[in-house]
Amino acid sequence: MNRPIFIFLVGLMFLSFGSQASWEQLWNKQVDTVIVDQNLLDGTTRLFATEKATGDLYQYEGTPSEWTKVGGKSKSVVSTGEDLYLLRLDGKVVFRYLGPGNRWKSVYTETSTVPFLTLIGGGNKLYATKVIDGDIWEFTGSNFKQLYGSGKYVAGGCKGCWDNSLGFVYRIEAGGTKVYRYPKGYGGDSTKWVEIGEPAGSIYAGSSPQSVFATEPVEEDSGGDIWRYKDGTTWEEIGGPGKMFAVDVIGKATNMGPETLYGLSGDGKQIWRWVGQPEEWTQIDTSQLNKPLQAIYAGGGKLYAVASGGRLWEYSP
C-alpha cells in the first residue's frame, strides 16, 4: 500500500448527499463504549453501551431512552458475531452474556499471574491480549491458546460462522510495518500467519475477506487514506483519510463481496458512506448532530454516532 497523492475525504470526486437525514437520539446519558452485537448466524442485532459516569453496561430495548442495566463496570466488552463477552475488572474472569436480568455465565478464569488486558471479538470467535501490542490468545470454548506474533489486532472474516475453519483474525505487526491474517481455529500454530499487506495504521474487518479495510499509517490524528483488500497482497485505494471507519455486515454470513463502509472525517464533522467503487462516497447529512462527532459504529443496517457531549444517535439509511 504505497502512499499516492489523493483527495481528502471531504473532497472526494463523488460528492452527493443521501436522502434526508433521519437521526434519533437513543439515550440522554453520556456513553463511553458502544457495542453493536450483530449475530452473523441469524442476522439479529442487539445494541449495548456503557455509561460514561459509572462504566455500567446497558442494553437498548428498542425505544429511545429505554435501556436496561445488564452489568457493572468491566475491563472490556466485545461481540464475536454470535455472543457478547465481558472481561472482569481484574482481567481474570471472562463471562458470556445469557440475556436480560443481568444473566452472565463464567466461561474462563485465568490462573496465571498475568491477567488479560482486553478482549477482541469477531468472526464468531473470541480472542484476548495480555500486553499492549503483545501476543494474542484464541478462546477454544474452554481455554485460551497463545498465537505468537506481536502487534494490533482485529477479528472478522466470518463467511461461514457455523464452520470453525472459516473466519480470520488480522494483525498489524508491531511498528505498523506489515499486515498479517490468521485463520481461526488453529490456536497455538504460529505458522498459520500469512502476510497480506504492507504498512497500515488501523484495520476494519467485515464478514468476508473482501470486506477488509486498512488505513495508511500517519502521525496526524486525521488518519491515513483507506484501502480495501482484494487478494494475496493486493489492495486498492478507495478513499481519503478519516478519523475512524465502521463496517456494517447487515446480517451477511457468506462471501458476497464488500459490505457497507462508513467513514468519519478527520475533523469529526462529516460522515460518508462508501458507494462500492474507488473514490465514490455519499455524504450523510449530520446537521442534526452536535459536532465534532466523537465516534461512529454500524451494524444491523443501522449507523450510530456519538455526538459532541457524548450522546448516542441512530441513523436509518
Side-chain angles (χ1 to χ4, degrees), residues 46-179:
R46 299 180 297 185
L47 181 65
F48 298 85
T50 58
E51 183 184 3
K52 189 171 184 178
T54 64
D56 293 338
L57 178 67
Y58 288 79
Q59 180 176 354
Y60 181 53
E61 298 298 341
T63 302
S65 299
E66 290 190 10
W67 293 75
T68 300
K69 181 180 175 180
V70 296
K73 188 175 183 180
S74 63
K75 198 165 189 178
S76 180
V77 183
V78 299
S79 167
T80 63
E82 182 180 7
D83 287 304
L84 188 78
Y85 290 89
L86 177 149
L87 178 62
R88 201 169 68 184
L89 271 177
D90 62 3
K92 289 285 191 176
V93 183
V94 178
F95 295 88
R96 180 169 62 88
Y97 183 56
L98 300 179
N102 198 17
R103 295 169 54 230
W104 296 83
K105 178 182 179 180
S106 173
V107 296
Y108 180 77
T109 299
E110 178 59 33
T111 58
S112 74
T113 58
V114 183
F116 287 123
L117 178 67
T118 189
L119 299 179
I120 298 170
N124 192 29
K125 202 70 174 177
L126 178 67
Y127 303 87
T129 60
K130 290 188 174 183
V131 182
I132 296 177
D133 287 341
D135 297 331
I136 192 171
W137 299 67
E138 181 182 65
F139 186 52
T140 65
S142 60
N143 204 346
F144 278 88
K145 291 187 176 181
Q146 190 171 10
L147 309 182
Y148 296 95
S150 62
K152 295 190 296 184
Y153 302 91
V154 63
C158 185
K159 67 177 181 179
C161 292
W162 51 88
D163 187 336
N164 196 51
S165 67
L166 300 174
F168 301 95
V169 60
Y170 300 87
R171 171 170 65 93
I172 302 176
E173 192 174 51
T177 56
K178 293 183 183 298
V179 177

Side-chain angles (χ1 to χ4, degrees), residues 210-232:
Q210 283 66 47
S211 296
V212 178
F213 308 88
T215 61
E216 294 181 4
V218 292
E219 296 180 359
E220 297 81 4
D221 291 339
S222 60
D225 295 342
I226 188 162
W227 296 65
R228 181 179 73 90
Y229 179 64
K230 299 187 73 174
D231 56 60

Side-chain angles (χ1 to χ4, degrees), residues 195-215:
E195 181 184 342
I196 63 170
E198 297 177 10
S202 299
I203 301 177
Y204 301 88
S207 70
S208 78
Q210 283 66 47
S211 296
V212 178
F213 308 88
T215 61

